[in-house]
Amino acid sequence: MARRLRFNGTGSGEGGCPAIHEDLDTGEVIVQGRPLTDPADLSQLQYFDSEREVAVVVPRNTLVDFGPRDETPRSIDLTAFGKLFENFKHTARRIETRRRYASDESTETYGQFTRGETPTWDMDTPWCHTIRRKVAQGARVERVRIVDRPATDGQRYLLAHAEKNTALGEKIHNLWREDAERLHLPEEDFWVFDSRLVARLVFDEEDNLIGAELITEPAAVNRYLQVWDAAWHYAIPYEQFAALVAAED
């Protein structure tokens, strides 16, 4: 059976080797780089078996930046999670991967939407005040929402809800799930704050948000940033995407 490998990163500015991969099942690290072949160099290696092993040259910064480290995520409750939006300074970026969010379905606007009415968005909530203030201060709040084909009711609601998000100053893009799978994007639902802290969202079996796991280890944060960059690159503005969804109905 083939290994399940995760690409951690590369020290090459142009892509390619040297690079670091991690086995998701065993935790082993696979180092990709230029082989060391000079006999004089190889003779200095202790316990080197030339018949079974290959020596690889990897820049120090590649191991520092992308070598995995043991760091257990710290769990926080919804109150602590909410404070992250008050404290970030520059960017808050979200990838939404789920087919349903129970919290949406408890709102009056969701009921209006499912009845075919135009939702009446409340623009005077604490969340609205926070996001408006952050955007006014120059921060960016951006989301990529993954959508199935056909879209679920919850995903269609979020396409409508993007009108409110945009009015607050957020940027909303969408990506078909089939394209996300082609890009090997994970199904994790998360926020990245200021490119240094990841909040991986935790849901119960009923699709209720119950908390988050904070990730600050640099190599791990970098992987989430790579996921974000790929998703944002291929996603399209929600207005264009909503027209695509409507055309397929």
Side-chain angles (χ1 to χ4, degrees):
M1 181 184 302
R3 292 175 180 260
R4 294 193 308 126
L5 300 182
R6 178 177 63 197
F7 174 67
N8 282 8
T10 174
S12 170
E14 300 178 355
C17 71
I20 303 293
H21 289 73
E22 186 176 355
D23 190 311
L24 295 178
D25 298 311
T26 68
E28 294 176 306
V29 178
I30 291 82
V31 178
Q32 172 188 343
R34 179 170 55 85
L36 187 69
T37 58
D38 190 309
D41 294 333
L42 293 174
S43 66
Q44 300 178 60
L45 302 180
Q46 296 188 39
Y47 312 114
F48 179 70
D49 185 343
S50 61
E51 295 183 359
R52 301 177 54 190
E53 300 172 346
V54 175
V56 177
V57 179
V58 179
R60 179 183 297 272
N61 71 289
T62 301
L63 295 177
V64 171
D65 293 342
F66 304 112
R69 301 167 181 80
D70 291 329
E71 180 174 305
T72 303
R74 178 167 62 90
S75 296
I76 60 173
D77 60 18
L78 294 180
T79 299
F81 173 63
K83 292 185 181 300
L84 296 177
F85 296 92
E86 300 174 5
N87 296 329
F88 84 93
K89 295 182 179 180
H90 308 296
T91 56
R93 294 162 170 153
R94 169 85 182 274
I95 293 188
E96 300 179 25
T97 62
R98 301 178 68 83
R99 295 170 173 85
R100 172 179 181 258
Y101 294 90
S103 59
D104 289 340
E105 298 175 8
S106 65
T107 63
E108 175 59 27
T109 50
Y110 188 88
Q112 293 171 341
F113 176 78
T114 57
R115 294 192 297 269
E117 304 170 7
T118 300
T120 53
W121 308 115
D122 183 357
M123 308 299 290
D124 196 34
T125 66
W127 166 265
C128 292
H129 293 307
T130 297
I131 298 304
R132 277 203 199 95
R133 184 178 69 256
K134 289 293 183 179
V135 172
Q137 293 170 349
R140 299 202 309 273
V141 182
E142 302 165 334
R143 305 182 194 232
V144 173
R145 288 171 169 157
I146 308 300
V147 179
D148 288 272
R149 211 170 203 165
T152 67
D153 290 341
Q155 292 165 348
R156 291 174 184 272
Y157 171 74
L158 287 177
L159 274 174
H161 194 277
E163 178 185 11
K164 175 179 179 178
N165 297 117
T166 302
L168 296 175
E170 298 186 39
K171 302 294 184 182
I172 310 297
H173 286 198
N174 290 89
L175 183 69
W176 292 115
R177 190 175 300 277
E178 61 199 51
D179 292 327
E181 292 174 347
R182 176 177 56 83
L183 295 168
H184 304 292
L185 302 185
E187 293 189 0
E188 293 170 288
D189 202 296
F190 63 89
W191 284 91
V192 184
F193 296 94
D194 292 333
S195 298
R196 66 174 184 82
L197 184 151
V198 174
R200 187 168 58 200
L201 305 190
V202 179
F203 297 83
D204 64 16
E205 295 181 354
E206 302 299 323
D207 298 310
N208 294 292
L209 176 64
I210 58 175
E213 296 178 336
L214 296 187
I215 300 171
T216 58
E217 192 274 305
V221 172
N222 182 69
R223 288 195 296 269
Y224 283 94
L225 288 172
Q226 291 178 35
V227 169
W228 164 261
D229 283 346
W232 187 256
H233 178 78
Y234 288 99
I236 63 175
Y238 86 91
E239 299 95 338
Q240 299 176 29
F241 195 87
L244 294 176
V245 172
E248 294 193 357
D249 289 342

